[in-house]
Amino acid sequence: MAIKTATEHLIALEGVTKSYQQPNGQQIVILENINLELRSGEIVALLGPSGSGKSTLMRMIAGLIPPSKGKILYHNRPLIGLNPGVAIVFQSFALYPWLTVLENVELGLKAKGEPSDGRRQKALRMIDIIGLDGFENAYPKELSGGMRQRVGFARALAVEPELLCMDEPFSALDVLTAENLRFELLDLWLERRIPTQAILIVTHGIEEAVILADRIIVLGRNPGRIRADFPVTLPHYRDRKHPSFQALVDQVYKIITNPDLEEIETQSTTVSPQEPTPEPIKYQFLPSVRIGSIAGLVELLEDRPKTDLYRLGQELQLEVDDILPIVEAAKLMNFVDLAEGDISLTRIGQEFIAGGIDQRKDIVKTQLLEHIRLVQQISRLLQAKRNQRIPEELVLDILESHVSPEEAQQQLKTAIDWGRYAEIYSYDEPSGQIFLEDQAQSV
Ligand code: ADP
Ligand code: MG
């Protein structure tokens, strides 16, 4: 099958918003006003921190879930139900353990109603292309992670999808296996050995995006919006050490870490006239990191007046998803300043480093009570209660008007960790109660 020209668009999203109803009836907006076109001939990387709605966006494109607002067009026609032009590769491989490699690969073809002869032939050919020759009759449990993901690729590609969607397909693999598979996929694509017109890869790895993509779309969080959409024109195969590669990675870092960008976009958002919705209260998202990690980061900055985040990440051998939450948390506490991808210590950050354990606790306490809304709320609720105790469910109910139940648990856990460290309140795990320390001693 020939690859079509790069101008025709396969899929277009127009003003797509996705929100979920919480158990308490509140709506939470996951993705807001997404406008996006996917064209033949391109590899597009959808990049963003975890929870920014990447998987949700991909699932809408695949037709697995409908948008709450806006339109999805497939070949210029509104998409209804499953997208017939899309196949997905999942991070978790999603293979059936009781089926052989061949049977797993045949599965997608069977679902498409392909007769059994053609099915077997197509499956065997893809197994060959993907490098699974000789493993046709093996079961998934006999295979390594890399080989299992090859089965995932073969199954998706066997149906000859126009758009191959991949949701963090290399994240569950070790570094070397991942790098091998990435380049093998690139070989197949560049040599046009796979009958696919476009690839959409969801990733939280900046370097992975810059290695593979012809175009990078950066999603921001809370709610997910497109923060940037730009082409990558470096020729394949790209060298991670090349200055222009590093410059691009640096640029993406700046986009992701630039806190002002979100503000600008928030201000320019227009509310659609036919559906006047009240401006949702923006929830202050707490990154789930421990105080110890924040302290570790802040200490690292002690001898560096101003550091490039990307270099820092490289030095620590950490991926963006590992380092950004820690940076965000340090920023929330006013320990660091961020500007244009550079990070530097604030005066408060310096005081924190200089302090002993008690001073550190005091500084964190002051910062939490001044800047962290969830900690403020919990503390106020506790003060208001005669017995100075509250059940965690009360906090979860409040949180669930902003975030999903899972995320609410995570947010609560972080607020408890931080507040406990600063001795603002305590927590009794068996009863699920948050309480003020003085009260505990007198009970
Ligand atoms: P990413 O893939 O970027 O990590 P996801 O698309 O998986 O992000 O999720 C984005 C947000 O949407 C998360 O906060 C998640 O908890 C929430 N979410 C995803 N699916 C549902 C659902 N079915 N109901 C409620 N919330 C959901
Ligand atoms: Mg995801």
Side-chain angles (χ1 to χ4, degrees):
M1 190 187 288
I3 305 246
K4 294 191 185 165
T5 57
T7 49
E8 182 183 333
H9 70 245
L10 281 176
I11 288 160
L13 279 69
E14 293 175 2
V16 166
T17 291
K18 182 73 189 174
S19 45
Y20 284 107
Q21 180 142 11
Q22 297 295 83
N24 63 10
Q26 283 258 353
Q27 293 279 331
I28 46 165
V29 180
I30 309 291
L31 288 162
E32 191 169 72
N33 193 24
I34 304 288
N35 295 294
L36 172 66
E37 275 180 13
L38 297 176
R39 296 175 281 265
S40 292
E42 59 179 10
I43 300 182
V44 177
L46 186 60
L47 184 67
S50 72
S52 56
K54 302 182 297 292
S55 296
T56 303
L57 187 58
M58 199 199 73
R59 291 159 59 105
M60 286 197 288
I61 289 171
L64 291 167
I65 50 172
S68 311
K69 251 199 256 176
K71 267 193 288 191
I72 300 183
L73 302 174
Y74 169 59
H75 287 299
N76 292 319
R77 298 222 178 88
L79 177 67
I80 300 158
L82 282 183
N83 191 327
V86 169
I88 305 183
V89 177
F90 296 97
Q91 177 185 347
S92 58
F93 320 141
L95 305 178
Y96 291 95
W98 59 88
L99 297 181
T100 63
V101 166
L102 179 60
E103 288 163 342
N104 265 290
V105 175
E106 275 188 69
L107 219 57
L109 291 159
K110 200 169 168 183
K112 291 228 147 177
E114 181 91 24
S116 67
D117 282 1
R119 204 154 81 202
R120 182 128 307 185
Q121 229 175 1
K122 282 188 179 173
L124 285 170
R125 203 186 59 208
M126 200 45 72
I127 282 173
D128 191 24
I129 291 176
I130 280 307
L132 283 167
D133 229 4
F135 289 90
E136 295 85 350
N137 297 314
Y139 287 89
K141 68 169 192 295
E142 303 168 46
L143 305 177
S144 66
M147 291 301 270
R148 283 185 209 171
Q149 192 54 305
R150 281 175 200 268
V151 181
F153 277 114
R155 184 181 54 196
L157 288 166
V159 303
E160 307 191 350
E162 286 169 291
L163 176 70
L164 176 67
C165 283
M166 307 192 284
D167 193 352
E168 312 216 7
F170 308 112
S171 299
L173 307 175
D174 66 82
V175 181
L176 283 180
T177 307
E179 189 73 344
N180 264 332
L181 216 46
R182 239 177 243 130
F183 280 108
E184 279 188 45
L185 177 76
L186 202 55
D187 283 342
L188 293 175
W189 167 256
L190 294 171
E191 292 165 16
R192 301 185 173 189
R193 283 193 282 142
I194 48 174
T196 290
Q197 293 174 31
I199 296 179
L200 176 69
I201 175 167
V202 162
T203 177
H204 65 258
I206 296 181
E207 291 200 19
E208 178 166 283
V210 178
I211 282 277
L212 293 174
D214 301 307
R215 189 175 146 210
I216 296 179
I217 295 167
V218 182
L219 273 189
R221 189 169 53 196
N222 190 29
R225 296 203 187 102
I226 292 179
R227 301 187 74 183
D229 181 347
F230 57 91
V232 182
T233 52
L234 300 175
H236 286 294
Y237 295 80
R238 296 166 187 159
D239 174 7
R240 288 175 192 265
K241 298 220 159 59
H242 195 278
S244 45
F245 184 93
Q246 299 208 340
L248 195 56
V249 171
D250 222 7
Q251 189 194 331
V252 180
Y253 248 96
K254 280 177 192 158
I255 295 168
I256 292 184
T257 55
N258 180 357
D260 300 332
L261 210 59
E262 203 108 58
E263 295 305 316
I264 297 162
E265 287 193 350
T266 311
Q267 282 162 13
S268 65
T269 306
T270 49
V271 179
S272 87
Q274 61 271 48
E275 278 172 275
T277 43
E279 194 61 35
I281 313 149
K282 200 157 161 68
Y283 174 70
Q284 181 189 46
F285 194 89
L286 303 185
S288 61
V289 298
R290 284 166 225 223
I291 298 285
S293 306
I294 304 172
L297 174 85
V298 175
E299 282 165 7
L300 263 176
L301 295 171
E302 190 174 7
D303 303 320
R304 306 168 218 228
K306 200 172 176 196
T307 311
D308 191 290
L309 261 185
Y310 170 47
R311 299 277 127 62
L312 190 67
Q314 278 193 324
E315 232 172 276
L316 301 174
Q317 302 200 316
L318 288 174
E319 277 271 0
V320 63
D321 223 34
D322 301 322
I323 193 166
L324 277 185
I326 307 173
V327 170
E328 264 178 67
K331 176 87 174 78
L332 282 176
M333 302 228 194
N334 260 331
F335 286 171
V336 297
D337 271 331
L338 284 177
E340 301 267 302
D342 287 331
I343 181 167
S344 56
L345 273 185
T346 60
R347 191 182 45 79
I348 297 167
Q350 281 161 353
E351 281 168 12
F352 177 84
I353 294 174
I357 180 113
D358 288 334
Q359 285 107 317
R360 285 189 173 198
K361 280 188 184 218
D362 277 345
I363 294 170
V364 172
K365 183 172 181 174
T366 310
Q367 295 309 304
L368 290 177
L369 290 173
E370 257 177 52
H371 304 291
I372 308 299
R373 267 175 246 147
L374 186 53
V375 175
Q376 291 166 349
Q377 264 176 319
I378 294 174
S379 162
R380 260 188 245 125
L381 285 169
L382 286 168
Q383 309 280 356
K385 286 283 298 273
R386 191 185 295 263
N387 66 356
Q388 306 201 311
R389 288 181 164 259
I390 53 167
E392 62 185 355
E393 284 82 8
L394 181 60
V395 183
L396 287 171
D397 281 346
I398 296 171
L399 282 168
E400 283 177 17
S401 50
H402 303 285
V403 299
S404 67
E406 277 160 54
E407 192 57 64
Q409 290 280 359
Q410 199 59 48
Q411 293 288 301
L412 174 69
K413 184 168 174 292
T414 305
I416 289 176
D417 271 359
W418 293 4
R420 258 179 160 178
Y421 170 89
E423 295 177 19
I424 299 173
Y425 41 72
S426 254
Y427 175 65
D428 178 51
E429 179 137 13
S431 66
Q433 297 227 326
I434 307 169
F435 58 94
L436 290 179
E437 200 63 66
D438 305 350
Q439 192 63 22
Q441 280 154 8
S442 62
V443 165

